[in-house]
Amino acid sequence: MDLSVIKSNALRTVEEGTLLAIHSEQEGMAVIQLYDTSSSEPRLIAENRQQIPDVPNPSGHTMTDGERGVKDIDLTTSNKQLIQRLMDAMLGIKPAPLTDFFDGDNYINHNPKAWDGLSGFAKGMEERKKSGIITKYHRLRTIMAQGNYVFCITEGAMNDVPTAFFDLFRIENGKAAEHWDVVAPITETTFRD
């Protein structure tokens, strides 16, 4: 099968080996799908969907706008290693300061409830804490990269509800410059592998 058919609605893609991640908007939902392309018919192996709010986030971004286009192919490995270290920190495997991964306030966040920059990240975490939202990350399921984009899937929980976190990062100058995510409770259709 020609992969252009499943890429036709893609806003952003990440391809590594036989894996293809596609970030798209479908019927008012932000969607990230992960395909196995090892056979002639690509097979959907993971999918997360989240309703796009009617208004942009506090910094004026939607879940799907922002930069597009893969570049810096020669930096694929180092960009993947950066996000692997970030995920290790988020999982509590190897704590590190967030400044190791983000360039201060030069960070664009497309999460519907987030502000830009590290100061916005800290503000968002404080707001979540005040609202009683407890987020835990249990394990990194997938990480893949292509040039300046790194995609990962983490399993965890929000307020004890099993949750899948599908995160897409754009890397610039060795730091995470932009972030999109699709976060939803894990269902029988989230993981198909």
Side-chain angles (χ1 to χ4, degrees):
M1 172 183 214
D2 181 4
L3 291 179
S4 64
V5 172
I6 61 174
K7 290 182 181 179
S8 63
N9 292 324
L11 299 169
R12 288 160 202 90
T13 63
V14 178
E15 291 183 69
E16 182 180 307
T18 60
L19 294 177
L20 169 64
I22 298 177
H23 180 224
S24 64
E25 182 175 340
Q26 299 174 18
E27 299 174 354
M29 306 282 279
V31 179
I32 299 180
Q33 297 167 309
L34 181 62
Y35 288 89
D36 175 351
T37 61
S38 62
S39 67
S40 61
E41 285 294 318
R43 185 173 58 88
L44 181 63
I45 57 176
E47 177 179 58
N48 233 13
R49 295 174 171 270
Q50 184 177 349
Q51 186 69 44
I52 297 173
D54 293 333
V55 296
N57 72 11
S59 292
H61 309 294
T62 71
M63 293 181 74
T64 57
D65 68 347
E67 195 164 315
R68 297 182 191 184
V70 173
K71 61 182 182 180
D72 300 328
I73 294 298
D74 58 319
L75 298 176
T76 296
T77 300
S78 60
N79 290 339
K80 185 176 181 179
Q81 290 169 344
L82 173 75
I83 300 304
Q84 177 69 59
R85 291 191 309 272
L86 171 61
M87 292 297 107
D88 287 348
M90 299 296 284
L91 289 162
I93 295 168
K94 189 172 181 186
L98 290 176
T99 53
D100 285 1
F101 313 107
F102 303 98
D103 183 15
D105 282 343
N106 297 317
Y107 167 63
I108 301 166
N109 198 337
H110 293 270
N111 180 287
K113 296 181 181 177
W115 289 265
D116 287 346
L118 275 182
S119 59
F121 182 83
K123 182 177 181 177
M125 294 307 286
E126 186 60 34
E127 290 292 322
R128 293 168 69 88
K129 187 177 177 182
K130 285 180 188 175
S131 300
I133 299 172
I134 299 169
T135 303
K136 296 179 182 176
Y137 299 93
H138 300 310
R139 78 175 181 118
L140 179 62
R141 187 178 177 107
T142 304
I143 185 165
M144 53 187 283
Q146 182 183 21
N148 57 326
Y149 286 94
V150 182
F151 169 68
C152 56
I153 297 173
T154 311
E155 290 182 50
M158 289 183 69
N159 291 347
D160 295 324
V161 174
T163 301
F165 303 90
F166 285 42
D167 293 285
L168 179 61
F169 295 91
R170 182 178 61 81
I171 312 302
E172 187 175 281
N173 300 320
K175 303 278 186 168
E178 197 163 8
H179 169 255
W180 300 263
D181 61 358
V182 176
V183 178
I186 295 173
T187 70
E188 66 280 351
T189 61
T190 305
F191 302 113
R192 302 168 188 187
D193 59 340

